[in-house]
Amino acid sequence: MPDNPRNSPVSLLPRPGEVTADGSEGLALDAATRISADQAAGPTLTWLRRELGAATGLPLSIGHEQDARIRLSVDPTAGLGEEGYRLIVDTEGAIVVGHDPAGVFYGAQTLRQLLPADAYRDAPVGEASDRWKLPSVRVTDAPRFRWRGVMLDIARHFQPKREILRFIDLLALHKLNVLHLHLSDDQGWRVEIRRYPKLTEKGSWRTESQVGMTKPPVFDGRPHGGFLTQDDIREIVAYAAERHVMVVPEIDVPGHSQAAIHAYPELGEVGEIPVGTRWGIFDEVLAVTDHVLDFYKNVFDELIELFPSPYVHVGGDECPKTQWKNSESAQQRIREEGLADEDELQSWFIRRLGDHLTERGRRLLGWDEILEGGLAPGATVLSWRGEEGGIAAARAGHDVVMAPTATSYLDYKQSESPDEPVPVGTLLRVEDVYAGDPVPSDLTEKEAEHVLGAQVNLWTEHIDTPRRLDYMVFPRLSAFAEKVWSTHERDYAEFEPRLVHHLGRLDAAGVEYRPMDGPRPWHSRPGVQGWG
């Protein structure tokens, strides 16, 4: 990379593997510029024409390979590696070659970053500009990890389809490729299941929500709810696939299930309960009867029809065992199955669902608590309680996705300032996200092969608007994106100027990110009344 990325025409994020820029004149885009693509790169051509056409006001017509100035192609023999690409720009044109369609798409994303930041803003209708120039550059690039993900919790506070689509675009901008949707929890059920309509009729709304983390708790007195229809899900999945983002569904069991139990009280141990309004961990859990297992197998069958992802997340976290200790049906199940205790009972429950998913060609994914009591072969562990779960799983031969709270929880506070909104958890600054390595140092080289990658998690107890979501996610997500993409040794001093440059792109895209110099008192922001 150039010595001064802040002023360089090739200030890219995430940092590519190899970049050569000689400073010579590059390619100017104008009304005569044509784009071509082979069949495999066709979807990226459609995306690039749409995005750049809207920003530049140029027609960017489709041409033949011999007369096109921008050419896209897939070549698995080019030695680029999975999701890898090569981008070459000179006065004659711009060429993007990808190992696969994803590689072409990521090369096109890099091409877009070479343009002024306004390439991320729609131009006024009828306006075209002569300032759209690509610098002369050669880029060869491929990702470090194949799992580069974000978990978005839409159970605590619902995000409608339009916001999820916008979020997918922002993931794709950063070359991230997994959106893990947390679809159910104590406080709401967010996906239509046609066999069980009460899940959304009754379980998708709560009477009010806790505000902040005060004791005793304070509530807002406002109903909150919503859910995604199956048609919504199909649109989201298709939109994500066009941007090479895999959408992984999560239905959390056997804890965090108050909304489901409210809809169908026979699922629980104590009969009727309300949809949760407080944040935290609660004793209400699913019963471990055949009826409950059949119910959730049917739920997952519908999800499998909607989500082509090979992974299905079953939660498995924060499941208190109090009700099972006092439940005759749970204790009978322990005796019948020859289980040692309630921890093994949870493992038994998860294994039954894992077997069901395996029969249908899918892989079970769960939080690291699924290790307790033994883990089914083929299950993948998402390690959140530090690195320990990921280390134990990798050593046992299980694939792992790392998301330890210390470097991965984007709902955590970003400074110690009294102006920081809802200062939850421990301090997690941009530089903290950037510094943490996804591969635990305790793993051997062979064990580390089980680390598929990493993800950050965005829990939304205190994030109830898109504006709050932007503030908590960015620019920390930009730091994470480089960590999971780039193979370079990381140096925050080198990264920060490129991040500052990148903020111009986020500005143009309308992202209301947290300023680098920290939060400001709300009364100093013109037109802002609180944080709504």
Side-chain angles (χ1 to χ4, degrees):
M1 287 294 294
D3 291 335
N4 189 355
R6 182 193 300 269
N7 300 318
S8 168
V10 289
S11 183
L12 303 172
L13 192 155
R15 182 179 177 181
E18 298 177 20
V19 180
T20 303
D22 58 17
S24 62
E25 186 177 355
L27 175 67
L29 306 185
D30 56 31
T33 301
R34 292 174 177 269
I35 304 179
S36 72
D38 62 18
Q39 184 174 3
T44 294
L45 179 147
T46 301
W47 173 85
L48 187 62
R49 287 189 69 224
R50 181 174 60 244
E51 297 300 322
L52 293 190
T56 64
L58 300 173
L60 300 176
S61 304
I62 297 176
H64 299 291
E65 183 177 357
Q66 59 269 25
D67 64 5
R69 303 295 298 279
I70 300 175
R71 303 194 296 276
L72 314 175
S73 64
V74 171
D75 183 359
T77 69
L80 297 167
E82 290 188 14
E83 299 181 282
Y85 67 90
R86 182 174 293 116
L87 167 63
I88 302 172
V89 182
D90 56 25
T91 55
E92 297 300 314
I95 299 173
V96 178
V97 178
H99 172 84
D100 44 32
V104 176
F105 180 75
Y106 296 133
Q109 287 283 7
T110 298
L111 184 150
R112 190 183 186 190
Q113 284 198 10
L114 293 173
L115 292 167
D118 279 352
Y120 295 86
R121 176 185 291 119
D122 288 354
V125 176
E127 177 181 309
S129 172
D130 61 359
R131 60 193 176 86
W132 300 105
K133 297 179 180 179
L134 294 165
S136 177
V137 68
R138 184 184 182 97
V139 179
T140 303
D141 200 13
R144 179 185 179 192
F145 293 106
R146 55 189 167 121
W147 188 292
R148 307 181 301 278
V150 181
M151 188 283 297
L152 177 60
D153 167 20
I154 64 170
R156 270 50 176 270
H157 277 104
F158 178 63
Q159 293 289 340
K161 177 181 66 178
R162 66 177 180 276
E163 294 301 333
I164 296 173
L165 298 180
R166 182 184 77 102
F167 196 63
I168 290 169
D169 277 326
L170 294 173
L171 299 190
L173 186 160
H174 290 85
K175 300 184 173 74
L176 299 172
N177 66 349
V178 177
L179 174 60
H180 164 188
L181 281 181
H182 186 77
L183 294 169
S184 73
D185 215 291
D186 295 312
Q187 297 83 15
W189 185 282
R190 306 295 179 210
V191 57
E192 176 188 19
I193 302 297
R194 290 177 175 170
R195 183 161 182 162
Y196 303 116
K198 292 180 183 178
L199 287 171
T200 47
E201 290 172 0
K202 299 181 66 175
S204 67
W205 283 87
R206 59 178 180 264
T207 57
E208 59 184 356
S209 306
Q210 183 177 349
V211 179
M213 296 297 289
T214 59
K215 294 184 179 180
V218 175
F219 297 89
D220 62 9
R222 296 180 299 172
H224 177 84
F227 65 93
L228 300 172
T229 68
Q230 294 201 358
D231 285 342
D232 289 336
I233 293 291
R234 291 186 182 95
E235 182 176 345
I236 288 167
V237 168
Y239 191 89
E242 290 174 356
R243 291 149 181 81
H244 299 277
V245 174
M246 174 176 67
V247 185
V248 176
E250 179 189 356
I251 297 296
D252 206 346
V253 297
H256 286 295
S257 299
Q258 287 188 36
I261 297 170
H262 171 72
Y264 294 92
E266 66 272 18
L267 298 176
E269 293 282 7
V270 293
E272 294 188 7
I273 59 173
V275 176
T277 58
R278 294 184 295 133
W279 317 130
I281 304 171
F282 307 100
D283 285 342
E284 286 79 8
V285 297
L286 295 174
V288 287
T289 63
D290 291 342
H291 170 74
V292 172
L293 277 168
D294 289 342
F295 183 99
Y296 277 91
K297 288 176 182 178
N298 292 332
V299 167
F300 284 118
D301 282 347
E302 288 201 29
L303 288 182
I304 287 170
E305 293 178 2
L306 297 170
F307 294 90
S309 160
Y311 297 91
V312 177
H313 201 301
V314 301
D317 62 315
E318 298 177 331
C319 178
K321 308 300 191 295
T322 303
Q323 289 189 347
W324 285 349
K325 289 178 180 178
N326 298 318
S327 163
E328 177 54 36
S329 63
Q331 294 304 310
Q332 181 179 348
R333 181 71 76 180
I334 288 174
R335 293 190 296 269
E336 289 175 350
E337 300 296 334
L339 306 174
D341 53 24
E342 288 75 20
D343 284 340
E344 286 198 6
L345 180 61
Q346 177 171 339
S347 177
W348 176 88
F349 185 89
I350 296 294
R351 279 174 178 263
R352 299 290 78 72
L353 294 178
D355 291 344
H356 184 76
L357 293 172
T358 300
E359 290 171 0
R360 282 150 179 76
R362 304 303 176 93
R363 296 186 63 178
L364 180 144
L365 176 66
W367 303 109
D368 56 52
E369 285 96 331
I370 66 173
L371 287 163
E372 298 167 0
L375 187 57
T380 300
V381 172
L382 216 164
S383 183
W384 72 278
R385 296 179 300 176
E387 296 182 336
E388 292 79 6
I391 292 171
R395 287 177 174 168
H398 293 280
D399 286 343
V400 176
V401 177
M402 298 302 297
T405 57
T407 58
S408 309
Y409 270 41
L410 299 189
D411 54 317
Y412 280 11
K413 61 186 177 184
Q414 303 182 65
S415 78
E416 300 291 0
S417 167
D419 293 321
E420 201 72 64
V422 195
V424 174
T426 55
L427 180 64
L428 182 58
R429 304 165 299 173
V430 174
E431 52 264 47
D432 300 322
V433 174
Y434 189 73
D437 195 89
V439 179
S441 58
D442 290 349
L443 293 179
T444 66
E445 184 175 347
K446 185 67 174 176
E447 292 166 346
E449 293 176 0
H450 284 290
V451 179
L452 302 180
Q455 71 177 42
V456 285
N457 296 332
L458 185 65
W459 301 105
T460 60
E461 289 93 335
H462 312 290
I463 302 173
D464 59 354
T465 67
R467 186 179 185 198
R468 291 194 180 199
L469 187 148
D470 280 4
Y471 180 93
M472 299 304 291
V473 172
F474 296 100
R476 290 186 293 184
L477 188 69
S478 304
F480 170 77
E482 177 147 313
K483 176 168 70 177
V484 292
W485 178 275
S486 178
T487 56
H488 292 279
E489 290 188 9
R490 292 189 301 283
D491 177 0
Y492 187 77
E494 185 277 330
F495 167 74
E496 187 175 31
R498 285 187 290 111
L499 177 59
V500 172
H501 184 98
H502 185 68
L503 295 181
R505 301 177 186 121
L506 298 184
D507 278 324
V511 178
E512 297 197 64
Y513 57 84
R514 179 185 183 273
M516 291 290 287
D517 58 356
R520 300 160 190 158
W522 303 119
H523 59 75
S524 71
R525 297 189 179 187
V528 174
Q529 300 293 325
W531 189 25

